[in-house]
Amino acid sequence: MAGPLDIALPRSTAVGERLPAWIAGAAPFVVAASATGLIAANHGGYWPTSWGWSALAFAWIGGIALALGQGRLSGLELVWIGGLAALTGWTALSALWTGSRTQTALEAERTLVYLLAAIAVVSLARTAAYRGLLWGTWAGSTLACLYALATRLFPERLGVTDAIAGYRLSAPIGYWNGLGLLAAVAIALAVGLATDGPAVARALAAASLPLLAATLYFTFSRGAWIALAAALATAVVLSDRRLALMSALLLFSVPAAAAVWLAYRAKPLRLTNVPLGRAVHAGHTLSWQLVLVAGAAAAVAPAYDSVARRARVADTVRLGFAALIAAALVGGCAVLVVHYGGPGGVISHARHSLDSGGPPGGSDLNARLFSLSSTGRLHEWHVALDEWRAHPLLGGGAGTYAEYWAAAGANQSQLLDAHSLYLETLAELGPVGLALLAVALAAPLAAAVRARRRTLVPIAAGAYVAWLVHVAYDWDWELPGVTIAALICAGALLAAGRQREPLVRGTAVRLGLLAVVAVTGTAALLGLFGNRALARTSDAMRHGDVRAALSAADDARRWAPWSSQPYAALAAVRRLQGDRAGAREAYRRAAAKDPGDWELWLQLLSLSRGDERARALARLTVLNPGVAAAVRSAH
């Protein structure tokens, strides 16, 4: 029965009545928590070696659930899976016109993880179990974020040094913006979960909010804060209990804001040039302060619940509250406009900031949070559009943006992604690929609109929208540890929406999905064998075991005959042996497999003489003019 503030509260039931619901929700919770936490802990699932075991785990879960279940899915769920399956197939099919079959195959392997995860989620979660998916996603994401926060609070024990991330919090994901997005998703979920479920669980969700907010702060990720704002705005707009939701947001924002303020005051934890001793003292002090704030937040949850049960709010109060919020927003925008000298000044300032080379430097990372710099993204997006214009129908092929970027000018920096899922998909897979992606990503939103009156659906939609917004300006698609969390939220939305549409029944759906799982699971297994062999080659080389490295490289060639990477690994081993002729021959074969990879031609050039060197340099000039110019100037 809904409380006076329209907050859905759990009904009191007997133990025997609760048991079936608990069993039905346990499996989705365990799978969501394990998948989110484990993949995030494994460097965010960024490296190819993690894709195989992740895909196989989802294949087993989906296969078992389909074998034991009834195979009833809603039309939107079939659209979601069908869109991801078609996107995966189109990605693999682009090997026919791609400039790099090696990279295209790797892109297809990663997309398989998402397809199999979607099948596992919809096969496992029944309509009543969507809450278990959300609780599990929150639990797994929160554990990963708590570990990240611990690396900052206890630098003498868990401190992580990263040459790229610098002092921005990035472990275990490996990318500060990706970690920030994961924290934003967990925060959005925690706000809703703190008002739903058993009292102890609500208290834990509320207690996590200050810790997650501190984690988000220490990533110094501007994009993640924007994504969080989009998540909360989506939840408020979609909810039909806006007063209750906004009241919860305002109440729980107090301990979260206190945590961010305490983190800000711990100055040695945001400076890049302080001695370890000062950072240790500041981290230990902040740790017990955050524990106290988390305890206070946990106490807020039952107090809020008690007030929600008893309070009676008149319609005039509701309207007044809404008017107050609207006035605050309008007033904030007005202050901003006046500060920059009118609308024209705001536009001019924003344009200048976006076009700047990067956020402010210096030792204080806090300055990053108040910069509008695009950090070069505008140029990256222009290059993506140029690749699409060069291949307007089919795109350049999955995974080819890095090669197009290298050939686009004299910029010697190496870039793998366009920092926008949508633009990169258009550039690499053309309008067809972008349309398939849009269909797959839109299905959960349609389910959210249909099921918006169900508990937690607006919050789950907000968490999903946070990811949708963030991937518009970052490369989260390449981080399964972050994307899987969003896909599980999407699956929860689709499961919650089943009551609003007829289910597709019969064995045909189940057998079809089982066939997809079998085929894609087998492909993932082959990819796992090839990627593990390549990883063994690198490990053996680091330990100086040439024989083991050669054996692993041979295994990689057998399992991934389409790839240039086994030959590149073999060339590196031959070079370690001092066999220049053998290394040169291996690089020739690698370049033949992947003629668009400028790094292979650079290595071949370094081992060649005479006409062959001239040919390699000419090819390098086409593929990467900047590196070719540097080679000429060095000689």
Side-chain angles (χ1 to χ4, degrees):
M1 182 175 181
L5 290 184
D6 293 328
I7 299 175
L9 300 173
R11 296 181 179 179
S12 176
T13 56
V15 174
E17 294 175 342
R18 288 200 304 265
L19 187 59
W22 181 86
I23 293 175
F29 172 84
V30 171
V31 169
S34 300
T36 305
L38 292 176
I39 299 176
N42 189 24
H43 303 286
Y46 177 78
W47 300 108
T49 48
S50 71
W51 305 339
W53 65 259
S54 301
L56 287 176
F58 285 126
W60 276 104
I61 294 169
I64 292 173
L66 287 169
L68 298 178
Q70 299 178 357
R72 294 189 233 174
L73 300 177
S74 68
L76 284 177
E77 286 173 314
L78 291 178
V79 169
W80 188 45
I81 294 175
L84 288 174
L87 178 65
T88 304
W90 187 252
T91 299
L93 189 63
S94 69
L96 297 177
W97 62 84
T98 184
S100 174
R101 290 186 178 179
T102 300
Q103 294 303 318
T104 298
L106 290 173
E107 291 291 326
E109 288 178 33
R110 187 197 298 113
T111 312
L112 280 178
V113 178
Y114 303 144
L115 171 60
L116 288 168
I119 294 176
V121 168
V122 300
S123 303
L124 189 67
R126 294 296 173 253
T127 303
Y130 73 93
R131 290 181 180 85
L133 291 173
L134 299 178
W135 277 102
T137 304
W138 164 80
S141 302
T142 299
L143 287 176
C145 291
L146 289 181
Y147 172 80
L149 181 61
T151 65
R152 182 56 47 92
L153 300 180
F154 306 101
E156 79 284 9
R157 296 178 180 272
L158 301 173
V160 177
T161 301
D162 191 298
I164 299 176
Y167 205 43
R168 287 167 285 184
L169 209 60
S170 60
I173 298 295
Y175 181 45
W176 53 94
N177 288 336
L179 177 62
L181 175 58
L182 190 65
V185 168
I187 289 171
L189 292 176
V191 170
L193 297 175
T195 62
D196 178 79
V200 174
R202 293 200 305 271
L204 288 174
S208 72
L209 280 167
L211 305 177
L212 291 168
T215 303
L216 176 55
Y217 170 77
F218 281 124
T219 64
F220 301 101
S221 172
R222 298 162 294 160
W225 284 106
I226 294 173
L228 176 59
L232 299 180
T234 299
V236 170
V237 170
L238 198 60
S239 176
D240 62 343
R241 305 174 180 127
R242 293 184 183 87
L243 177 60
L245 178 57
M246 294 184 71
S247 299
L249 283 174
L250 290 175
L251 186 62
F252 290 120
S253 68
V254 174
V260 173
W261 180 72
L262 290 170
Y264 170 79
R265 289 196 61 191
K267 194 171 183 178
L269 300 183
R270 58 184 172 90
L271 298 179
T272 60
N273 57 355
V274 297
L276 178 61
R278 289 185 59 195
V280 169
H281 180 265
H284 291 183
T285 301
L286 181 59
S287 65
W288 65 259
Q289 292 174 337
L290 290 178
V291 168
L292 292 178
V293 175
V300 166
Y304 176 74
D305 181 58
S306 177
V307 172
R309 287 176 180 272
R310 294 174 174 80
R312 293 293 183 270
V313 181
D315 290 340
T316 54
V317 175
R318 295 174 184 269
L319 292 174
F321 184 75
L324 181 63
I325 296 295
L329 293 174
V330 172
C333 293
V335 169
L336 183 67
V337 170
V338 171
H339 175 74
Y340 288 107
V346 172
I347 295 174
S348 177
H349 176 75
R351 182 180 301 166
H352 175 74
S353 298
L354 287 171
D355 290 337
S356 63
S363 61
D364 191 347
L365 293 173
N366 197 65
R368 295 179 55 85
L369 294 175
F370 303 99
S371 168
L372 295 178
S373 168
S374 66
T375 320
R377 279 171 171 74
L378 294 180
H379 178 56
E380 296 163 13
W381 298 342
H382 283 306
V383 173
L385 290 174
D386 287 342
E387 182 180 8
W388 167 61
R389 294 187 187 101
H391 310 88
L393 295 180
L394 301 177
T400 58
Y401 176 80
E403 295 181 355
Y404 200 87
W405 167 268
N411 193 330
Q412 295 185 39
S413 64
Q414 187 174 5
L415 192 68
L416 299 179
D417 305 290
H419 285 79
S420 172
L421 172 62
Y422 311 120
L423 290 178
E424 187 169 336
T425 300
L426 177 64
E428 296 182 347
L429 298 177
V432 174
L434 183 60
L436 295 175
L437 177 67
V439 168
L441 298 185
L445 293 178
V449 173
R450 293 182 180 183
R452 62 187 178 277
R453 297 181 183 277
R454 302 201 66 185
T455 306
L456 296 180
V457 166
I459 284 293
Y464 180 56
V465 166
W467 180 85
L468 290 177
V469 169
H470 202 267
V471 295
Y473 47 77
D474 226 314
W475 48 272
D476 310 287
W477 185 259
E478 284 72 26
L479 290 170
V482 178
T483 295
I484 289 298
L487 292 181
I488 294 175
C489 291
L493 293 173
L494 289 161
R498 285 177 180 172
Q499 289 185 339
R500 298 294 181 179
E501 57 179 316
L503 299 181
V504 180
R505 304 171 183 268
T507 58
V509 172
R510 182 170 53 177
L511 292 178
L513 289 177
L514 280 172
V516 172
V517 168
V519 172
T520 55
T522 301
L525 183 62
L526 296 176
L528 175 63
F529 287 155
N531 292 325
R532 281 179 59 86
L534 286 170
R536 291 202 316 271
T537 304
S538 300
D539 291 339
M541 287 182 63
R542 280 196 299 269
H543 291 90
D545 191 342
V546 175
R547 180 178 297 180
L550 289 173
S551 176
D554 287 337
D555 289 341
R557 282 189 293 171
R558 284 194 294 270
W559 289 112
W562 57 83
S563 175
S564 65
Q565 291 181 332
Y567 289 100
L570 177 61
V573 177
R574 295 299 189 197
R575 203 166 192 171
L576 182 66
Q577 290 179 304
D579 183 2
R580 292 177 60 89
R584 185 165 57 250
E585 176 59 26
Y587 276 125
R588 287 195 195 106
R589 301 191 69 174
K593 290 279 186 181
D594 198 351
D597 189 338
W598 64 267
E599 293 181 279
L600 296 177
W601 290 99
L602 177 62
Q603 295 296 335
L604 183 59
L605 184 152
S606 67
L607 294 170
S608 303
R609 298 289 184 271
D611 292 341
E612 185 175 37
R613 186 180 188 282
R615 287 194 297 271
L617 181 58
R619 182 61 176 161
L620 181 63
T621 301
V622 174
L623 298 176
N624 195 323
V627 171
V631 170
R632 289 192 182 92
S633 64
H635 291 79

